[in-house]
Amino acid sequence: MDYDSLYDKDHASPVSPVSPTAPPRVSPWRRRMRLLGSTVTILAIAGAAVAAVVVVLGLGLGLGLGLGLHHDHSSASAASTNATNSTTMPLQRVQTPDSSTYFMDMTMQNQPPTTRYYDFVVEERIGAPDGTEKDMLVVNGESLPSHISAVPLIHPPAIIVNVTNKMPNATAIHWHGLYQRNTNFYDGTDGITQCGIPPGESMVYNFTFDDYVGSSWWHAHYDTQYSDGIVGGLVVHSQNESVPQYDGDLLILMSDLYHGFSTALLNYYFTPGGIDGNPGNEPVPDGGTINGVGQYGSYNSTFFNATLEANKTYRIRIVNPGSFVALSFSVDNHTLTVIEADGTPVEPFEVTSLSVAVAQRYSVLLTTNETAGAYWMRADLDQTAFTYNNPGCETEIRGVLRYGVANDTMPDIELLDNPPALPSGAPGALNESSLVPVGGGPTPDVTFSTYFTISMEYADVANDDSPYLAFINETSWAPLTNTSSLFAHLGNDTTSGSANWDGSQLITTIDEVSTVEMIIDNLDDGDHPFHLHGYKFWVMGSGSGRWQGESVNNTAPMLRDTVVIPTYSWMILRFQADNAGYWAFHCHISWHMAAGLLFQFNVLPSVSQKFVIPQYMVDQCAQQTV
């Protein structure tokens, strides 16, 4: 398949692989479920924007939350007559709020606690985050990567979000990094903790934050929808957070960006023989955005702008809600002090840049004490992940930070492609081995151990025309249809340990509170950012090649919820399994999860089977089609 056909060779507007008036397509992910059913063996399994809306909920114990959705042409249910927004009608354009909405209100900490209620209407629209028009999924008519709208959320004992789906496909929203203790059914994971919200219907997410504090995000967890824009920032503040003081708070979401619609790109990814003739080649992005604004060729010369005060210290919360590649963040002439990673405060240390993998978050402090002026903010796409050439890809996205000057002051244009040299003695790029959690110490002794391998291979090793899928312990995941693992109580009747259900559900059951150790061998030639739902884990150690019994460092291991497992390497993670429910552990690259790179922990099933699940959530499963 010639992937270059998605682009015009003169950097003109890319050829849209999905017409707004075209009938919806069935994603390869859903198609493989429809064709294969639930009794196939593993080898028979077939192939399974960033224009998000963000509503920033600032919590003091406050919260900032971003939302965005876009129509996923991925499900046969897209043709449902229940859809409110017909794909045969012209799509409206997205609304773009002012860039000031990315700043948190620093007074929120002192406001009283209260439960907050939100109504989100999910629909499809047209936007141009980097100057090139594309289909988008949005909430309340607004998109993220070209906007964030701020709604303060103060000390909430509960967040209640009513999501109304006006797309022609089902959807589900996952609140990344949150523990969802006793509310596993609101984790928002299609086929695992719920079925999708059907077209034309609504669902209420009602949950607390437990003791989670820090920077995170939310996103669709249904097919590849979040690649089309269903993402947003989520920030939980606390008066007692173990980080240095700061004067201002700025959220930065930096992400790769595709002009094509995700289901069309996924079809290319699953093409027999692979994109560009190589199986497993992921779609290469067209560029990226900083808070929804990118620059593509000559189609957009605008930048995300942030005007700060001089001689102040700002906390910049950096989130990568992308689909594929890591991005490296920096600000010309400024050092950055790292103070948080994935909601865990860390002992402060300085860097000049930091690479943020998909789904990871960092907070850094930036002090505005250099010469008054405007400075380029840069987000570099990790080109080492590219497996073929995408003509016209914008590999560095720029924004503007300024202080002590007029609001329309711009940095020196000559520095765009010639960044200033670092001064002698400047710190280097982030090295994750420097991350030390504040107050960290040894982990509890291991009481449960599990081993698994990561691989990408043909579903039928003897047939090069079979789908090229992702496997964990030789199981390639695909979402259940008309039920979820939680609703079906998969694995509840088994003893603790791992088992395969329905040919595509690898589930590790743990029926007593345990300290779990995961020993992972990555047998693939690519890096994989893995995320664990419902928990944070300790990163105990890693090394090249297969694990050969190497010991771990249990002095003060880093605690986070997303970590990159490098190519051809081993890694050991631990977590305290005390939160009942079905929790996904998966690669956060959209294409890899669609190919099956996910398995589940079923923790304390004797507790989760007593959950009082809203009946209408179960009833919605009967409306699911593939």
Side-chain angles (χ1 to χ4, degrees), residues 1 31 93 121 123 146 150 184 216 219 222 231 234 252 266 278 287-288 346 369 377 399 457 459 476 480 524 607:
M1 184 67 66
R31 185 185 302 120
R93 296 198 65 82
V121 177
E123 59 186 343
S146 44
N184 179 230
S216 197
H219 60 88
Y222 192 97
V231 303
L234 185 156
I252 295 290
L266 195 59
N278 292 293
V346 299
N369 58 0
M377 178 169 45
E457 56 192 88
S476 183
L480 295 169
D524 184 47
V607 175

Side-chain angles (χ1 to χ4, degrees), residues 448 450-451 473 495-501 506-509 599 601:
F448 185 98
T450 184
Y451 169 82
N473 283 1
T495 59
S496 292
S498 299
N500 182 298
W501 298 83
L506 178 61
I507 297 177
T508 298
T509 299
F599 89 104
F601 284 105

Side-chain angles (χ1 to χ4, degrees), residues 18 105 112 131 157 203 219 309-310 354 398 421 428 440 487-488 517 523 553 605 608 618:
V18 178
D105 181 355
M203 174 181 161
H219 60 88
E309 293 185 44
L354 64 164
R398 287 76 175 248
F487 298 169
E517 181 170 81
L523 309 182
N553 182 356
S608 66
V618 178

